[in-house]
Amino acid sequence: MIRTTHIILITILFLSLSTFQVQAQQSQQFYISGFVNDAATGERLIGANVSIESINKGVATDNLGYFVLQVEPPVNIIVSYLGYKNEKISITNNEKKLFHVALSPLQTDLGEVEIVARPEILTQQFNVSTLSSKEIESIPVLGGKPDVIKVAQLLPGIEPMNEATSTMIVRGGNPGENNYLFDNVPVIHVSHLGGFISVFNPDMINSIDIYKGGFPAKYGDKLSSIVNITQREGDKSHYKGSFSAGITDVSFSVEGPGGLKNSSFIITGRKSFFDLYYLGVSSIAKLVEAQDYSFIYGFHDINAKYSWQMNEKNSFHFNIYQGDDYMKIWMNEKDKQSNDRIKLNMGNTWGNLVTSGSWNHVVSPKLFVSNTLSYSQYRLKNKQNFYSEMAYDTLDYLVTGKSDLRDILLQSNWKYSVLKNWNMEFGASASFIISNPNKYYNYYSDIATIADRVFALNSSAYLDNNFRLFNRIDASLGVRIANYYSEGYNNFSVEPRANINVKVAKNHVLNASYMRVTQNAHLLFTAGSILNNEIWVPAGKDIESSYSDQASIGWRGEFLDGMLSAEVDVYYKKLYNLATYKEGYSNIIGDGNWRNKIMSGGKGTSKGIEFLMKKNTGALTGFVSYTFSKTTRQYDLLNNGLEYPFEYDRPHSLSIDVGYQFNKKWSVNALWVFRSGMPYTPVIAEQSLPYIDIETGEIYYKDALIFGERNSERMSPYHRLDLAAKYSKIGKRGRKVEWTFSIYNAYCQQNAFYYYYDNINAYKYKHWQEIPEGDNRLALYKLTYFPVVPSVSYKVYFDKTTRQPNTHVKKKLVIKDGELRRVEKE
């Protein structure tokens, strides 16, 4: 690793000297910088192309809509973005160097040809999946409402943990190895409803980039992916909003000017409405004496952002996110004859709180800085309260458990244009982390309280150098240095990063990348329960930090003037010091010796090839995504120390999506998904074990299962077809209205959520002792959750600017009843 770092640093020095010699001959050139925004709303445009007209060379705006470009006057600069009119900037001298460019949206009819400059293929990033708002909204998902993570799971190298869940498995990594960022601020827990709905409200999202490998040196702390979500800023020109309802939740958004000059705000929220459904069903069940308890489950989340452009060089942004899931079971019964009373109150709550403030400052045309202070919290709370009052005894039982993680983060990120072909990004961050994996209180036990709070300090610094050589090579060479300290445990890491693009033809680029990443917290979880039981365990002396090495090579090409694009990537990934539960354990809350339930030192390997082809323009769009991979794990205390397939290893994964825009009102989409079945551990034999009935004292013999090699068999392959249609119109009051109709799993494929073993015909009997010999044979069953699921959602926009006149209706003036009136022609 140290030798690799030396090589990268020496290469950076050599390229710097070479580039400087070239630049010494170009003294007439100077730098311009600026921001690109939507002229109507003021929203920043991410990925806008800023190019020199004469040579069609340029740069793309970053996640802040910011760009830096070296020019030599006189010169014309073309700023373009898909769906917007091009803007030309004429530069004749060096008097003005900071520009705020406003692009106006195009008003195009279906079928018109729209010519927009595309970003240069050499500058496009590999190992990154980028999602547009149009893709997020058009692809059908379970529930009928857009879900950014479920759409991302259709792309190469990204898969769901289970069917319909919003938990990602990226290139064979664990679910806890993905770093989710809201405007560069970490979000720790990312799903509602047991993982079936993500916490990311599409109404709040400007863009989303998912790094699967080749991380820039700026990013770290998680082994498998960076999910970088840029939030919208809100409309600076006028107030508007939306309201949406589907089968799972209702949502809203409100945005507009923020009161100060050049300021704006946006607020979005969601609330499940099946809370009332569960409460109603429980109440009816109690009335008919089908059950004696009440049940409720729901979730909510709310996002808010305030942005202020104080002047040309300074802007401020303030964010808050809060979201919770909650489940509660309660009963209060009293026997009228004996006056015996029983009370039960059980609850489980989990969720996030994220707040942040950032200051962006243009120091000079060559130097830009973004500073952010943030606070992130995830907590899991459960409570069990049982009270019984009887003639002979009174019992009052209270147990509470809590696990939480808090992170106070300060970061400063800088961008500096050293020379024409050399840009530098550097920065530093410091994070104070408070972990409480196991806080437990038992009112009825001698062990009243267990509290195990762990403090940690995680700091890092990074340097990324981006070079352009001979207009054919783009190289990003950098290093990230991090130090983690917690209660006597110290982990210092040097993480080299390298990413090189080579243009081999006009529209064809090859890529090679390498990265090392370190992670200082382990996520422990148990799949298959709607109750969240994710627990974050900090690294320490007994459970060391994990790290990974990943290398990849790739090719990307564009055809037919960018109408078609294709990409192929091959990767190899090694993971070290992984942690998981020991065999037979699934939770640590309430155990003072919880560290003994965890094993560490695990190793993982993942390798694969990914293919993606997209049709980008026209009424017919879509993509084909395929991944062939193999992922394994190895722990000394599992599977006799032998390597075994990872629980979520799927060798084949294929997604085919096709969308068609008929006109301004109607569009349709079809999605077909195929994946290999997940592995499971088979039963190879049974044995009889003695069982003593506590009430009678009699001894029975019960069959126990003997399992074979871990994950040595596979479930049946998974496949489904989803269909969706979207209808948009302008209502009577000039409000835009959208209806989305979708069918999940259209041909009702019975896909296995998981496999389990049970006795044949066992469901006929109330107790296992009653099962006769003939029905006592063991059989393998599968549980399926989602047959055909039709959905409908409705969304209305409260914005007078969406009013569109009907230009197809001709009118004439007539005199009727003595008045001049305008009427439609027959």
Side-chain angles (χ1 to χ4, degrees):
M1 180 188 70
I2 300 300
R3 291 180 178 178
T4 303
T5 305
H6 288 167
I7 292 172
I8 291 177
L9 294 175
I10 292 172
T11 304
I12 292 173
L13 179 61
F14 172 76
L15 293 175
S16 303
L17 293 174
S18 302
T19 309
F20 180 77
Q21 292 177 356
V22 175
Q23 292 300 310
Q25 304 172 5
Q26 301 176 342
S27 58
Q28 299 298 320
Q29 296 184 346
F30 64 93
Y31 285 89
I32 64 169
S33 63
F35 298 87
V36 181
N37 298 85
D38 184 306
T41 67
E43 193 71 48
R44 53 189 157 175
L45 298 180
I46 300 170
N49 196 39
V50 184
S51 61
I52 299 173
E53 184 180 39
S54 57
I55 59 176
N56 196 28
K57 299 289 184 180
V59 297
T61 56
D62 63 12
N63 286 348
L64 298 173
Y66 180 74
F67 70 90
V68 177
L69 183 66
Q70 190 175 38
V71 298
E72 183 175 359
V75 66
N76 291 328
I77 304 299
I78 303 298
V79 183
S80 61
Y81 191 74
L82 187 63
Y84 288 76
K85 297 177 182 178
N86 293 355
E87 187 75 19
K88 180 185 288 188
I89 303 173
S90 296
I91 299 176
T92 58
N93 53 53
N94 62 357
E95 292 181 0
K96 184 176 182 180
K97 297 181 179 180
L98 181 62
F99 296 85
H100 286 261
V101 184
L103 299 185
S104 300
L106 282 169
Q107 300 296 331
T108 59
D109 292 325
L110 190 69
E112 289 187 359
V113 178
E114 181 182 330
I115 301 175
V116 177
R118 291 179 56 79
E120 187 183 358
I121 190 170
L122 188 60
T123 64
Q124 298 175 23
Q125 294 176 303
F126 280 75
N127 296 297
V128 179
S129 297
T130 300
L131 295 174
S132 66
S133 58
K134 183 178 180 180
E135 289 174 312
I136 294 171
E137 293 177 358
S138 63
I139 296 176
V141 297
L142 181 65
K145 299 188 70 176
D147 191 307
V148 295
I149 300 301
K150 290 179 182 176
V151 174
Q153 292 166 351
L154 304 173
L155 301 175
I158 305 175
E159 297 178 352
M161 189 171 74
N162 294 105
E163 181 183 14
T165 61
S166 295
T167 307
M168 296 197 316
I169 305 296
V170 180
R171 288 185 172 177
N174 293 326
E177 294 171 0
N178 306 309
N179 195 1
Y180 298 90
L181 302 175
F182 255 0
D183 284 347
N184 211 35
V185 175
V187 179
I188 301 170
H189 182 69
V190 296
S191 62
H192 292 303
L193 193 59
F196 293 115
I197 298 175
S198 74
V199 301
F200 306 118
N201 191 333
D203 291 333
M204 195 71 181
I205 294 176
N206 188 321
S207 70
I208 176 171
D209 295 324
I210 304 175
Y211 293 81
K212 301 176 291 184
F215 295 177
K218 174 182 178 179
Y219 299 120
D221 298 325
K222 296 295 172 65
L223 303 184
S224 292
S225 78
I226 304 295
V227 183
N228 187 24
I229 299 174
T230 303
Q231 300 184 97
R232 296 178 54 227
E233 294 183 354
D235 197 318
K236 291 183 173 68
S237 62
H238 65 283
Y239 297 101
K240 62 182 182 181
S242 67
F243 174 81
S244 177
I247 66 172
T248 57
D249 62 89
V250 294
S251 61
F252 75 92
S253 69
V254 179
E255 59 185 286
L260 299 175
K261 184 180 179 181
N262 295 324
S263 67
S264 62
F265 75 92
I266 181 170
I267 302 173
T268 67
R270 291 187 299 180
K271 177 68 181 75
S272 59
F273 56 66
F274 42 72
D275 316 38
L276 298 177
Y277 167 79
Y278 284 128
L279 182 60
V281 171
S282 296
S283 300
I284 295 173
K286 290 178 65 177
L287 288 175
V288 300
E289 299 184 350
Q291 66 183 39
D292 56 2
Y293 62 90
S294 298
F295 171 80
I296 191 173
Y297 173 83
F299 71 83
H300 76 268
D301 55 45
I302 187 166
N303 290 76
K305 182 174 183 177
Y306 186 88
S307 302
W308 178 37
Q309 183 80 40
M310 187 176 71
N311 52 42
E312 284 192 338
K313 293 188 175 183
N314 295 278
S315 64
F316 298 88
H317 305 271
F318 305 93
N319 297 277
I320 185 169
Y321 167 82
Q322 198 280 322
D324 272 339
D325 285 61
Y326 29 81
M327 192 207 73
K328 185 177 181 181
I329 299 174
W330 72 95
M331 63 180 295
N332 188 353
E333 298 292 329
K334 183 177 181 180
D335 190 290
K336 296 181 179 180
Q337 295 181 352
S338 64
N339 286 327
D340 291 345
R341 178 183 293 273
I342 296 178
K343 293 182 181 180
L344 173 66
N345 192 339
M346 298 175 59
N348 190 283
T349 304
W350 60 96
N352 292 299
L353 172 64
V354 179
T355 61
S356 68
S358 62
W359 169 41
N360 301 327
H361 176 56
V362 180
V363 181
S364 72
K366 300 176 65 174
L367 184 62
F368 176 82
V369 59
S370 178
N371 301 304
T372 304
L373 176 64
S374 63
Y375 172 80
S376 303
Q377 179 189 26
Y378 161 74
R379 81 272 189 274
L380 162 66
K381 298 189 297 183
N382 56 60
K383 176 182 178 181
Q384 300 179 30
N385 187 196
F386 178 78
Y387 175 83
S388 66
E389 182 181 329
M390 300 183 181
Y392 57 87
D393 191 15
T394 298
L395 177 64
D396 192 356
Y397 178 80
L398 174 63
V399 174
T400 61
K402 181 179 180 181
S403 176
D404 63 20
L405 175 65
R406 285 172 280 175
D407 184 357
I408 303 172
L409 173 63
L410 175 63
Q411 51 184 320
S412 183
N413 300 301
W414 298 72
K415 293 184 178 182
Y416 181 59
S417 295
V418 186
L419 300 169
K420 177 181 179 181
N421 294 322
W422 179 15
N423 296 318
M424 183 184 296
E425 296 187 24
F426 58 93
S429 67
S431 178
F432 180 61
I433 304 169
I434 306 172
S435 301
N436 196 347
N438 181 25
K439 184 177 181 180
Y440 180 78
Y441 174 78
N442 189 337
Y443 177 83
Y444 202 69
S445 173
D446 294 335
I447 305 176
T449 303
I450 299 174
D452 198 349
R453 182 172 294 180
V454 180
F455 299 93
L457 180 63
N458 189 19
S459 56
S460 65
Y462 70 91
L463 171 65
D464 238 339
N465 291 272
N466 303 304
F467 300 97
R468 169 68 63 87
L469 297 175
F470 317 116
N471 288 324
R472 285 191 170 273
I473 300 175
D474 262 11
S476 177
L477 304 175
V479 63
R480 179 183 178 89
I481 299 173
N483 189 79
Y484 172 85
Y485 178 82
S486 176
E487 300 185 347
Y489 172 76
N490 191 80
N491 181 55
F492 177 78
S493 60
V494 179
E495 305 172 8
R497 312 286 173 85
N499 205 327
I500 300 175
N501 292 347
V502 180
K503 189 175 182 179
V504 294
K506 181 180 179 181
N507 292 316
H508 299 272
V509 174
L510 298 179
N511 169 268
S513 71
Y514 166 80
M515 70 173 189
R516 166 164 287 202
V517 190
T518 303
Q519 181 168 331
N520 298 300
H522 303 274
L523 176 64
L524 304 179
F525 67 96
T526 304
S529 173
I530 193 173
L531 292 177
N532 183 68
N533 48 22
E534 295 184 1
I535 296 174
W536 286 95
V537 175
K541 294 180 180 179
D542 299 325
I543 308 171
E544 296 187 354
S545 301
S546 56
Y547 65 96
S548 73
D549 292 303
Q550 183 179 163
S552 68
I553 56 175
W555 162 85
R556 176 184 288 129
E558 292 184 349
F559 309 92
L560 303 177
D561 294 327
M563 184 176 71
L564 297 177
S565 61
E567 182 175 343
V568 178
D569 293 289
V570 180
Y571 72 90
Y572 183 82
K573 180 178 179 181
K574 291 286 292 184
L575 304 104
Y576 305 90
N577 287 343
L578 302 178
T580 188
Y581 286 116
K582 290 182 179 179
E583 196 78 76
Y585 294 106
S586 61
N587 206 330
I588 64 173
I589 292 181
D591 191 336
N593 297 317
W594 58 270
R595 288 180 174 84
N596 293 328
K597 292 183 175 181
I598 302 171
M599 70 175 77
S600 59
K603 299 177 182 179
T605 301
S606 184
K607 50 191 174 183
I609 180 170
E610 302 167 353
F611 170 79
L612 176 65
M613 175 169 281
K614 299 180 69 175
K615 185 176 185 297
N616 302 299
T617 59
L620 179 68
T621 57
F623 63 84
V624 176
S625 164
Y626 173 72
T627 304
F628 174 71
S629 62
K630 180 181 179 181
T631 303
T632 60
R633 292 289 188 267
Q634 188 272 322
Y635 289 88
D636 291 340
L637 300 180
L638 289 179
N639 201 45
N640 296 318
L642 300 176
E643 187 179 71
Y644 60 88
F646 181 43
E647 280 75 8
Y648 305 104
D649 174 54
R650 300 178 178 93
H652 301 278
S653 181
L654 173 67
S655 299
I656 302 174
D657 179 77
V658 178
Y660 189 80
Q661 184 83 34
F662 288 100
N663 48 48
K664 288 185 176 181
K665 291 186 175 182
W666 282 101
S667 63
V668 295
N669 191 282
L671 170 68
W672 188 70
V673 176
F674 174 89
R675 298 188 184 100
S676 300
M678 291 195 303
Y680 71 95
T681 303
V683 169
I684 58 175
E686 296 180 77
Q687 63 178 348
S688 296
L689 296 177
Y691 169 81
I692 302 177
D693 191 309
I694 298 177
E695 296 180 357
T696 64
E698 298 185 27
I699 299 177
Y700 299 93
Y701 286 88
K702 187 175 182 179
D703 291 337
L705 307 181
I706 300 175
F707 290 90
E709 189 173 343
R710 190 179 184 89
N711 293 343
S712 57
E713 297 287 346
R714 287 194 177 273
M715 300 182 189
S716 56
Y718 174 95
H719 55 92
R720 73 173 198 271
L721 173 68
D722 301 340
L723 303 172
K726 188 173 184 178
Y727 174 71
S728 302
K729 71 171 186 176
I730 303 300
K732 295 180 179 180
R733 298 183 179 180
R735 294 171 179 169
K736 183 180 178 182
V737 174
E738 292 178 349
W739 287 91
T740 302
F741 309 92
S742 64
I743 301 177
Y744 181 89
N745 194 9
Y747 53 76
C748 198
Q749 173 65 22
Q750 299 295 306
N751 293 304
F753 198 82
Y754 62 82
Y755 280 11
Y756 66 97
Y757 288 90
D758 202 351
N759 298 109
I760 297 177
N761 296 326
Y763 63 91
K764 296 180 180 179
Y765 307 96
K766 294 182 179 180
H767 195 275
W768 63 270
Q769 298 173 9
E770 302 175 1
I771 303 175
E773 188 68 29
D775 286 347
N776 203 28
R777 291 176 289 110
L778 204 63
L780 180 64
Y781 295 88
K782 71 177 181 181
L783 179 67
T784 62
Y785 277 165
F786 303 102
V788 176
V789 182
S791 302
V792 60
S793 65
Y794 169 82
K795 188 170 187 178
V796 58
Y797 296 85
F798 302 96
D799 181 2
K800 292 183 179 180
T801 61
T802 59
R803 182 187 297 272
Q804 296 181 2
N806 190 346
T807 59
H808 301 289
V809 178
K810 296 182 179 181
K811 297 186 177 182
K812 64 179 180 180
L813 294 175
V814 299
I815 296 177
K816 188 174 182 180
D817 297 331
E819 296 180 358
L820 186 66
R821 298 184 180 182
R822 187 181 298 273
V823 298
E824 295 181 9
K825 286 186 177 182
E826 298 293 336

